[in-house]
Amino acid sequence: MWHLELITGLVILISSCRYLLLKTWPDFAESTEAANQQVLTSLQPLDYLVVSFLPGVTEELLFRGALLPLFGMDWKSVLLAATIFGVLHLGNGRKYSFAIWATFVGFVYGYATIVSSSLVVPMASHALNNLAGGLLWRHTSKPAK
């Protein structure tokens, strides 16, 4: 049961931090908008589930399921895997601010992996955060003219 509480806490923490950054860091907001337009613009409502859960599962399998145990299950390894995760989120309109954000999120998911001894916790949190962010963007973005 505490895994569900941890997942809920992670979703609240990460979604809240993301919201605050979107409102206070223009470069992050611009990078996020570029990424969302690139990926989400042409999606139908049910497509958001696939776009949310596929990266949530596969990225966590790679970064927290493969790289983290390879590097070691300690905070230094969490930071290394998170930094790689962040750097790989650069490009396609996403700037250094997005990479910093992804590094932070990767660190939180890595720490959650160690604390919970489970990949399900970061997978579910990642997917639910992707879904929340995508749906929020869909309902608040202005239609292209």
Side-chain angles (χ1 to χ4, degrees), residues 37-118:
Q37 282 186 7
Q38 180 184 21
V39 175
L40 303 176
T41 300
S42 63
L43 297 183
Q44 297 299 314
L46 288 178
D47 296 337
Y48 281 81
L49 290 174
V50 174
V51 169
S52 298
F53 284 86
L54 189 60
V57 171
T58 59
E59 288 179 358
E60 295 311 314
L61 280 173
L62 174 61
F63 291 98
R64 266 55 76 181
L67 291 181
L68 185 57
L70 180 68
F71 298 151
M73 297 296 278
D74 58 27
W75 73 268
K76 292 177 186 174
S77 300
V78 168
L79 185 57
L80 178 58
T83 301
I84 295 168
F85 182 73
V87 168
L88 291 176
H89 278 79
L90 283 170
N92 296 322
R94 295 176 293 194
K95 302 175 184 177
Y96 74 93
S97 57
F98 201 86
I100 292 169
W101 166 249
T103 300
F104 166 74
V105 170
F107 187 83
V108 171
Y109 291 151
Y111 183 74
T113 302
I114 291 174
V115 167
S116 68
S117 299
S118 173

Side-chain angles (χ1 to χ4, degrees), residues 4 7-8 19 25 35 44 47 69 72 78 85 92 108 126 131 138 140 145:
L4 290 176
I7 291 166
T8 302
Y19 178 79
W25 196 0
Q44 297 299 314
D47 296 337
V78 168
F85 182 73
N92 296 322
V108 171
H126 191 153
L131 183 61
R138 178 183 174 93
T140 60
K145 293 181 181 181

